[in-house]
Amino acid sequence: MSTLLRDAFLITRLSFWTGVLLSSVIGGLAYVVMDRSIESDARQRFVNDAAYAQNVIALRVKSYTDLLRRTASMIQSSHNFSHRQFHEYVCRLDLKKHYPAFDNFNVAVYVTDEEKQAFVTRLRQDMQAFTHSTEPLDITPRGIRPAYLVVYYIEPDLFSPGHYGVDLMANLSFGDQLRIERDEGTVQAAGTPIPPLSRPNDAHLGMRIAVYRPGAAHDTVEQRRAAYIGSLGIAFSLPKLLHGVLDEMPISGVRMTLFNVGPRLDYDGHPIKYVQTLFDSRGSAANPKPALDSGDDTFSVTLPINFNGRLWKTVYSVPKSALYTEFDIYYPKLIMVFGFIGTMLLYALLHTLTSSRRAALQLAQEMTSELRASQNKLQLSHQKLRRLADHAYQIKELERKRIAREIHDDLGQNLLALRIEAEILASRTGPTHRILHARARATLQQIDTIIKSVRQIINDLRPTVLDLGLSAAVEWQVDQFQRRTGIQCEVRDDHGEIELPDHCATAFFRILQESLTNVVRHAHATKVVVELRLSAGWLSMSVKDNGCGLPPGVRNKFGSFGLVGIEERIVILGGTCAVFSEPGAGTTVIVSAPVVDSPPYSLSLQQAHSAGSAVI
């Protein structure tokens, strides 16, 4: 007896320490999982906020790009453009208010070597008249080159003659960019900050766009080169452009560092890759490039920006503590304690009920096996019925299509040939046999009536407009419905023609026909709106009327198969059907299905009814 008691005590003690060990492991796992979950959630919030800030920057860059394009279009549309007109145009823009980061515009004129002397004379006269400067201007740097791109206008005017007359093409790293701008007609961004304007952590950048001769064609590279008359540039302050972006983020202590990672040319004209810091929210004049934040206590995300062909990289970083609350800090520990206690209690309960639980599990397994077998048989039966129904639909549509084609090809051609013969008879008997001519004309009218009837029969079997696509078929059916019933109809289709498999287009068309038939029979409506929408690979069609709505219990009415047929057609396609109706407020039927080449026959009955139909 003492041995049995000792063995029972040992087993109980072993079970106790096993439960303690298991509870400790589960509590520790719960702590790790919850801690990582909180960290992941904080990281995702930070990434979302950084993406929002990135979008704000992109929109601001786009606004300055649009300003450059709009100004270039204004210059390009004027045949006699002058410095005074440009000055007045810039003044009207109120740039300080609407574009606070704006520095200046500059217009550079394309001059060949033959036009150089006359251009220099005109430049000196214009600058003397506009800036009242007596300093003789010339194209710099000096030298003879095939062509020059000379700075001619600057607005707001710097009143410094030293900025005028600069040949931009003489800059080796900038010349290739200007040629790309001229040949492609696109906006080109400067690869580096503008030296005269920039300071440490205060970069000023520029963009340029080609200006072509007014009225000249510039569709090809040769046409652009022939019509090229100059270039328009814009300079702006990057810190002012980024001002307030971080303030809009709901997180404090965020650091933003902006890098230019686009290619540039070395002194020999070869492209090289480099990384240049353009802006750092923690930078200063004394330390413009502090080291980036790193470590396990920091969140960091890098996002790209396309600066008109140049790649910018923005690094956002923030201490993790800035995104944590006190609850986030203590919650994993609380979960660990709850996990330990809950596991201990559950282990004790399971240990006490082991024998009865095994018996219950055995019984449940037997019952589950029988239930699954019955469910599988029922599901297989429903799938067979659904396939049979779909096969019947397909056979019915194919037979309609075949009969319509045979009527069109056989009877239609014979009627056409008969009409031609009757037309010939009528034309030949007109002058000589009036009675026979009248009979021939009456026969022609009768033949035309038969042809119309044949066309109507063909359209009733399968409208030929379905061969033009679902959108065209929907518009045709709605137009026919409006003519026949007088009910005002509206079709909303923003996607144009939608490519669908034939069985899918036919199913949607038949659903539309059934819905319109229900409207004219039961709704007493005065307006119907049909809308087609394609989104994420799913096609949706809604039919909405302003009629009396569905009375309660109409879907279960004996002998009523309209809505049932609609549901079955759309479920066969793997789609969903929803009916919204209120008494006196009209009815809306919405069907959606994936755009696929064949119906998903493997859809289970439970899936079909759980996501296939709804009535509200």
Side-chain angles (χ1 to χ4, degrees):
M1 181 65 69
S2 60
T3 303
L4 293 175
L5 291 175
R6 186 171 61 253
D7 292 340
F9 175 76
L10 290 175
I11 293 174
T12 304
R13 186 175 182 181
L14 179 62
S15 300
F16 172 76
W17 286 112
T18 301
V20 171
L21 178 61
L22 179 62
S23 300
S24 300
V25 171
I26 293 179
L29 289 176
Y31 175 84
V32 172
V33 171
M34 184 55 59
D35 184 68
R36 291 184 179 179
S37 175
I38 292 176
E39 180 178 346
S40 175
D41 180 68
R43 179 184 296 276
Q44 188 59 46
R45 285 189 284 114
F46 173 65
V47 170
N48 292 339
D49 292 335
Y52 172 77
Q54 197 79 340
N55 291 332
V56 172
I57 296 173
L59 289 175
R60 292 187 180 184
V61 170
K62 183 179 181 300
S63 67
Y64 282 80
T65 303
D66 293 341
L67 173 64
L68 178 65
R69 293 181 185 275
R70 189 167 64 250
T71 305
S73 299
M74 186 275 297
I75 296 175
Q76 202 164 281
S77 62
S78 178
H79 290 272
N80 296 315
F81 191 72
S82 66
H83 196 166
R84 179 62 62 185
Q85 291 176 337
F86 189 48
H87 175 75
E88 294 174 352
Y89 169 77
V90 173
C91 291
R92 289 195 300 269
L93 290 177
D94 195 5
L95 296 172
K96 290 184 178 180
K97 177 180 178 181
H98 299 102
Y99 301 90
F102 173 83
D103 285 331
N104 61 71
F105 283 119
N106 65 84
V107 178
V109 179
Y110 180 74
V111 181
T112 62
D113 188 54
E114 293 79 7
E115 302 168 338
K116 175 181 178 181
Q117 192 58 43
F119 173 78
V120 170
T121 302
R122 187 170 72 253
L123 174 64
R124 292 173 179 175
Q125 292 174 353
D126 288 352
M127 290 303 102
Q128 187 174 16
F130 196 75
T131 65
H132 306 290
S133 174
T134 59
E135 180 179 345
L137 296 177
D138 202 350
I139 297 177
T140 57
R142 297 179 181 275
I144 299 177
R145 293 177 288 277
Y148 312 84
L149 189 63
V150 186
V151 176
Y152 195 35
Y153 302 151
I154 300 177
E155 284 295 336
D157 187 52
L158 299 177
F159 294 102
S160 176
H163 293 88
Y164 295 91
V166 176
D167 180 15
L168 301 180
M169 281 190 174
N171 188 325
L172 183 61
S173 62
F174 196 44
D176 290 340
Q177 200 172 8
L178 292 172
R179 283 184 281 274
I180 294 174
E181 162 205 317
R182 174 198 64 191
D183 293 344
E184 296 182 0
T186 57
V187 175
Q188 294 293 315
T192 57
I194 302 172
L197 302 176
S198 300
R199 298 292 182 273
N201 204 40
D202 183 17
H204 291 250
L205 303 179
M207 299 181 290
R208 303 201 70 85
I209 188 172
V211 179
Y212 301 101
R213 186 177 297 105
H218 46 84
D219 298 326
T220 64
V221 175
E222 291 75 13
Q223 291 175 344
R224 296 190 194 104
R225 291 179 178 177
Y228 185 67
I229 60 173
S231 174
L232 172 66
I234 184 174
F236 59 90
S237 169
L238 187 57
K240 292 181 180 179
L241 181 73
L242 302 179
H243 177 72
V245 173
L246 294 181
D247 295 339
E248 296 183 11
M249 298 182 67
I251 308 171
S252 60
V254 178
R255 176 184 178 184
M256 178 174 64
T257 308
L258 183 64
F259 298 95
N260 179 15
V261 296
R264 63 175 296 181
L265 300 178
D266 59 13
Y267 291 105
D268 296 327
H270 301 113
I272 58 175
K273 289 186 177 180
Y274 79 114
V275 177
Q276 181 184 26
T277 303
L278 298 177
F279 175 78
D280 194 321
S281 61
R282 292 186 187 172
S284 61
N287 185 17
K289 301 178 182 179
L292 293 176
D293 297 333
S294 60
D296 295 336
D297 60 343
T298 302
F299 286 136
S300 179
V301 61
T302 302
L303 300 175
I305 295 181
N306 183 6
F307 178 49
N308 292 308
R310 289 199 168 270
L311 181 62
W312 284 359
K313 180 179 70 174
T314 310
V315 179
Y316 298 90
S317 58
V318 67
K320 291 182 179 180
S321 58
L323 289 98
Y324 288 167
T325 63
E326 292 185 4
F327 180 76
D328 293 334
I329 296 174
Y330 292 106
Y331 190 61
K333 300 177 182 178
L334 187 63
I335 290 297
M336 181 180 66
V337 174
F338 285 162
F340 179 84
I341 296 175
T343 305
M344 282 293 295
L345 294 175
L346 182 61
Y347 179 79
L349 179 63
L350 293 176
H351 182 70
T352 304
L353 301 176
T354 300
S355 57
S356 58
R357 183 174 180 274
R358 288 177 181 175
L361 286 175
Q362 183 67 29
L363 180 60
Q365 287 178 356
E366 294 177 359
M367 295 177 63
T368 301
S369 299
E370 295 177 359
L371 179 61
R372 286 180 178 176
S374 300
Q375 287 180 341
N376 290 335
K377 292 180 181 179
L378 182 61
Q379 180 178 345
L380 181 61
S381 175
H382 277 285
Q383 288 180 354
K384 288 182 179 180
L385 289 175
R386 181 150 291 137
R387 291 184 180 181
L388 180 61
D390 180 64
H391 181 68
Y393 283 137
Q394 297 292 336
I395 293 298
K396 181 179 178 181
E397 293 297 336
L398 289 175
E399 188 65 15
R400 284 183 170 187
K401 188 175 182 180
R402 183 189 65 81
I403 295 174
R405 184 174 292 133
E406 288 184 359
I407 293 175
H408 177 273
D409 294 343
D410 189 4
L411 183 58
Q413 291 181 3
N414 290 334
L415 286 173
L416 181 60
L418 181 61
R419 191 188 187 287
I420 293 173
E421 294 294 334
E423 180 70 27
I424 295 173
L425 178 62
S427 62
R428 291 183 178 181
T429 57
T432 57
H433 301 82
R434 294 184 178 179
I435 297 176
L436 184 58
H437 176 72
R439 293 296 300 273
R441 298 307 300 181
T443 302
L444 272 176
Q445 293 178 359
Q446 186 65 29
I447 292 173
D448 289 339
T449 302
I450 296 174
I451 290 175
K452 290 181 180 179
S453 299
V454 169
R455 287 177 179 172
Q456 184 61 43
I457 293 172
I458 292 174
N459 284 330
D460 290 341
L461 288 172
R462 187 184 186 275
T464 56
V465 73
L466 263 176
D467 297 332
L468 302 179
L470 179 61
S471 297
V474 168
E475 292 182 1
W476 176 84
Q477 180 64 36
V478 171
D479 182 66
Q480 293 293 318
F481 176 80
Q482 182 171 348
R483 291 183 181 179
R484 186 174 67 254
T485 64
I487 299 175
Q488 181 182 357
C489 298
E490 179 184 354
V491 178
R492 299 174 182 173
D493 183 3
D494 298 334
H495 297 278
E497 189 50 56
I498 303 171
E499 295 185 3
L500 292 174
D502 184 68
H503 75 275
C504 187
T506 302
F508 271 89
F509 184 77
R510 296 303 182 191
I511 290 173
L512 175 64
Q513 285 184 321
E514 183 64 34
S515 300
L516 294 178
T517 300
N518 290 339
V519 170
V520 75
R521 286 181 178 177
H522 311 292
H524 306 292
T526 60
K527 183 177 181 180
V528 177
V529 178
V530 180
E531 182 176 1
L532 287 175
R533 181 179 300 171
L534 182 63
S535 176
W538 279 69
L539 176 64
S540 298
M541 180 178 71
S542 65
V543 181
K544 180 179 181 181
D545 64 68
N546 63 348
C548 60
L550 292 177
V554 68
R555 288 168 57 85
N556 301 321
K557 182 179 178 182
F558 180 77
S560 177
F561 298 101
L563 293 177
V564 175
I566 291 176
E567 290 178 3
E568 285 301 315
R569 284 183 182 271
I570 203 65
V571 168
I572 287 173
L573 297 178
T576 61
C577 174
V579 181
F580 303 89
S581 179
E582 293 183 6
T587 303
T588 301
V589 178
I590 302 177
V591 293
S592 302
V595 181
V596 294
D597 293 334
S598 61
Y601 291 120
S602 61
L603 185 69
S604 67
L605 179 65
Q606 182 179 0
Q607 293 173 327
H609 283 280
S610 62
S613 64
V615 180
I616 299 177

